[in-house]
Amino acid sequence: MGSPWPYVRALWLRIARRPAPSGWPVGAASALWRALRAATGDDAYERYLAHHRLHHGGDGVPMSRAGFFRAEQRRKWDGVRRCC
Amino acid sequence: MQKPDTPRRRRWWPQLIWAVIAVLGAGAAGIIALHRGEGLNSIWFIVAAVCIYALGFRFYSAFIAARVLALDDSRATPAERLNDGRDYIPTNRWIVFGHHFAAIAGPGPLIGPMLAAQFGYLPGTIWILIGAVLGGCVQDFVILFCSLRRNGRSLGQMARDELGPLGGAVALIGVMTIMIILIAVLGLVVVNAMKHSPWATSTVAATIPVAVLIGLYLRNLRPGRVIEGTALGVALLVFSVVAGGWVGHHPVLRGWFDYDGPQLALMIIAYGFAAAVLPVWLLLAPRDYLSTFMKIGTIVALAIAIVILRPEVKMPAMTQFIDGTGPIFGGTLFPFVFIVIACGAISGFHSLISSGTTPKLLGNERDARFIGYGAMAMESFVAIMAMVAATVLDPGVYFAINSPAGVVGAEAARAVQTISDWGFPVTVEQMTALAREMGESTLFARTGGAPSLAVGMASIFSQAFGNTLLAVWYHFAIMFEALFILTTLDAGTRVARFMLQEMLGNIFPALGRTSWYPSVLVCSALVVAGWGYFLYIGTIDPLGGINSLWPLFGISNQMLAAIALCVSTTVIVKSGKLRYAWVTAVPLAWLVVITTAAAWEKLFSPELRVGFLAHANDLSQRLAAGALSPEKAAQAPQFIFNDRIDAVLTAFFLVTTWVLVIETVRVCHAAATGRRCPPSTETPYVRTQLAEA
């Protein structure tokens, strides 16, 4: 028996990659959740992966989630971020 | 891209709706302006503000977008052309709006109106509304546009490119000094809220380990799960407010968190230095998530509560303090109401955000109007809510909380006597009962605006949400203010440190390496020492510190706005739109008038609480004559020195503003008459490839 994680992961990806549900109320709740994730930057890593697939094709391995988060934070705080 | 014109019937109902909004706005503004005596409902402030912002956005910003700037949604934005997936990314307009608003919204619009309410509700409200619609929103919008057309360049770079090297240097030094003063005054606000309050101090102290915990969670446990981390952090913060109550009532524990002003100032200084040299992920970044969430959540809750409750305004429209004798800060209505309101009407600081991250995220040039103009209208609305929170307090209570002991007297009996003699009745019993309700030992002389805002918010929240936990609401409000004041303090120290490293790097190249640790330590220490000095002096100043620091901050912030408007005007003139230059030139002229008048008074007024030099001279004469008590005589040389430093800074602001204005007039004149001047640096037109445009 190997590790179960690849199967769990594959199953999760199948659930997560389903097309967004539509209709009331599940569709509305899902849209709200997606909007919240986008607004807070919670989905930044997924967006980065999508960008990486689209623009850099097969060349290079994308950063890991932790690595991406660190790089983002370093970059973000390199300037004026707060007002009075 | 414009859709081809299809013939269609002109609809009549939008015009009708706008006519109704105009009538409603004018009616509400009229009620606020003409109402005298008791019983003005605060809902009129909300109605007037919303209608005026809506009209300003619908008509004035549309005029600016179409005629003055000629926004073109077929032009590719920097986010599209330079898309690197990191700094430059075309992003959904609502998300950009959220980021932009979160970045420009700070403690300023909450504190400014709270202090300006000493003139009564009317002057401040008028300036917040007019200043925002014709000045602040326009500044943010035009600077965002300028930066959009220049690959997202910063204000300093644009000042250098469009006005010459002098403009760039003035902008850089201006930003540095405003940062130092800003941090000092914000630190003072937090110190005054925590002074001898174990509950407030322990709650604010608890925000530090909470932030560190969330930092570790977001970095190591669940990288990048921002929503989870924030939800956990907010729960812990609410718990720390409640736990602070236990600490405050515990006979031993309360002693650990009971400090006076100067002690707290030293702690804030130590904290500021630690926060500046620690890695961002540990403290600053998680604190920023938490404070952004708390800020937006609390502001929305406050708006809902005011609409539900519709509390009555108790402050008169105008008080006798328009003559300059006000206890909270000295100075007459003109020019000080404009200086003190600061960020709620027009804030130079916003131009740094409008020319920083935001222009690199816009996918469509046309959205500059919604984001630049719209976000500032919302920020100004926050200022209106702070004004409501200030004016629904009993004026006697408002003045008792906000007047420094050096003006009304240190003993409670004398303070209430002085304030009641002004015509704002208040009793010692009333103040004691209020302090007990709020879970504090005293609310006298808690200057800086945060405690009175917290009292106002606590009474609004507890009534609107059917809850009587006044003390918890009060400390929640204090925690909420302290949280984002400390975020601004950390972030500001960091930015000032970068700038200092950049400047010193020209002389000692080693210090210019931003990640070289000795340089980080030295430059952070210098920046912290800069604001720490003003903060410490502020806590021992018998006039309360806010009296001298807040106007100085207001002047520097308005001066930065003047720099931004100089750049905007130059860009408009160079684009051949001389006849529309008034859009930015009129607010610029007004800012130059008020900053000059205010700076002049702060320098040369014979009034001791207004003029820095008059105060210094008076103090040194009394010191020489031996008329001071030994304790005051020991401190006097320090205050004299501080007054002179404040005077030098004011003079510096005055001179740099005028240098830049003269430079702007020269460059604009040269551009309008076809003489030699730095050419416009607008990037050439590229057609957009984005489908949605």
Side-chain angles (χ1 to χ4, degrees), chain B residues 150 153-173 563 566-568 570-571 574 656 659-668 670-671 676-681:
Chain B
R150 282 161 187 76
R153 275 202 205 127
S154 72
L155 180 70
Q157 288 168 319
M158 290 195 290
R160 195 165 50 227
D161 294 345
E162 302 290 333
L163 286 166
L166 192 63
V170 168
L172 187 68
I173 299 171
I563 296 176
C566 281
V567 172
S568 310
T570 314
V571 167
K574 281 187 187 171
T656 45
V659 165
L660 208 67
V661 166
I662 291 167
E663 193 68 1
T664 303
V665 170
R666 193 183 65 77
V667 172
C668 286
R676 226 162 63 87
C677 64
S680 172
T681 49

Side-chain angles (χ1 to χ4, degrees), chain B residues 326-341:
Chain B
I328 300 172
F329 56 91
T332 46
L333 183 67
F334 177 88
F336 285 99
V337 72
F338 306 103
I339 295 297
V340 167
I341 289 282

Side-chain angles (χ1 to χ4, degrees), chain A residues 33 35-44 46-48 51 55-56 63 65-84, chain B residues 83 85-87 95 99 102-104 106-108 182 218-220 223-227 280-281 284-285 288-289 292 343 349-350 353 488 491 494-495 498 553:
Chain A
W33 174 243
L36 182 68
R37 293 199 65 205
T40 52
D42 202 59
D43 64 352
E46 282 91 326
R47 274 190 278 145
Y48 161 74
H51 173 88
H55 292 273
H56 308 288
M63 278 183 271
R65 183 180 268 280
F68 170 76
F69 185 67
R70 279 168 207 205
E72 269 301 278
Q73 227 164 32
R74 244 198 323 275
R75 183 185 63 79
K76 237 171 77 173
W77 287 97
D78 218 25
V80 182
R81 294 266 309 153
R82 274 285 156 264
C83 260
C84 34
Chain B
N83 186 351
R86 292 208 320 274
D87 289 314
I95 295 174
H99 281 269
I104 65 170
L182 167 75
L218 285 178
R219 185 181 172 90
N220 296 331
R225 307 287 184 184
V226 177
I227 294 180
V280 253
W281 63 266
L284 181 52
D288 184 58
Y289 284 123
T292 304
C343 322
F349 223 109
H350 295 183
I353 307 288
T488 305
R494 216 177 132 73
V495 170
F498 280 138
F553 159 67

Side-chain angles (χ1 to χ4, degrees), chain B residues 395-666:
Chain B
V397 170
Y398 166 83
F399 283 110
I401 299 176
N402 282 304
S403 303
V407 179
V408 292
E411 307 87 44
R414 247 198 71 207
V416 294
Q417 187 58 50
T418 315
I419 294 165
S420 300
D421 286 349
W422 286 331
F424 305 111
V426 60
T427 60
V428 176
E429 294 74 44
Q430 194 183 352
M431 288 302 292
T432 317
L434 187 69
R436 198 176 332 105
E437 275 183 341
M438 299 296 164
E440 290 287 293
S441 53
T442 176
L443 285 172
F444 279 108
R446 289 209 174 262
T447 58
S452 59
L453 178 64
V455 170
M457 277 169 63
S459 48
I460 290 173
F461 278 148
S462 67
Q463 287 176 52
F465 300 130
N467 205 328
T468 48
L469 297 166
L470 263 175
V472 174
W473 281 120
Y474 172 84
H475 289 95
F476 174 82
I478 292 283
M479 182 274 288
F480 141 83
E481 289 170 78
L483 190 66
F484 68 95
I485 285 180
L486 290 180
T487 308
T488 305
L489 188 141
D490 299 354
T493 304
R494 216 177 132 73
V495 170
R497 186 251 286 175
F498 280 138
M499 289 176 179
L500 189 63
Q501 284 182 309
E502 195 186 316
M503 277 192 252
L504 292 181
N506 294 326
I507 311 165
F508 313 103
L511 286 177
R513 278 153 48 203
T514 47
S515 53
W516 188 49
Y517 216 65
S519 164
V520 171
L521 287 178
V522 168
C523 291
S524 299
L526 285 174
V527 170
V528 173
W531 59 255
Y533 165 77
F534 288 104
L535 169 60
Y536 188 81
I537 295 286
T539 58
I540 56 173
D541 184 345
L543 292 176
I546 294 287
N547 177 58
S548 55
L549 275 180
W550 189 264
L552 204 54
F553 159 67
I555 291 173
S556 63
N557 194 13
Q558 305 297 295
M559 180 205 74
L560 193 57
I563 296 176
L565 287 169
C566 281
V567 172
S568 310
T569 309
T570 314
V571 167
I572 291 176
V573 170
K574 281 187 187 171
S575 69
K577 299 269 174 61
L578 182 62
R579 66 201 174 106
Y580 291 130
W582 56 265
V583 165
T584 50
V586 169
L588 172 61
W590 177 244
L591 283 188
V592 171
V593 168
I594 58 170
T595 42
T596 305
W600 195 262
E601 287 207 22
K602 289 309 280 183
L603 281 174
F604 303 119
S605 168
E607 199 64 47
L608 296 186
R609 285 175 54 237
V610 179
F612 289 128
L613 294 176
H615 188 252
N617 290 342
D618 173 71
L619 211 54
S620 53
Q621 273 165 17
R622 283 195 294 156
L623 182 67
L628 295 172
S629 66
E631 186 196 345
K632 284 196 174 158
Q635 286 181 341
Q638 214 171 351
F639 287 127
I640 294 168
F641 175 70
N642 186 51
D643 277 330
R644 295 201 169 130
I645 293 228
D646 288 346
V648 168
L649 270 179
T650 311
F652 168 78
F653 291 149
L654 191 60
V655 170
T656 45
T657 309
W658 275 98
V659 165
L660 208 67
V661 166
I662 291 167
E663 193 68 1
T664 303
V665 170
R666 193 183 65 77

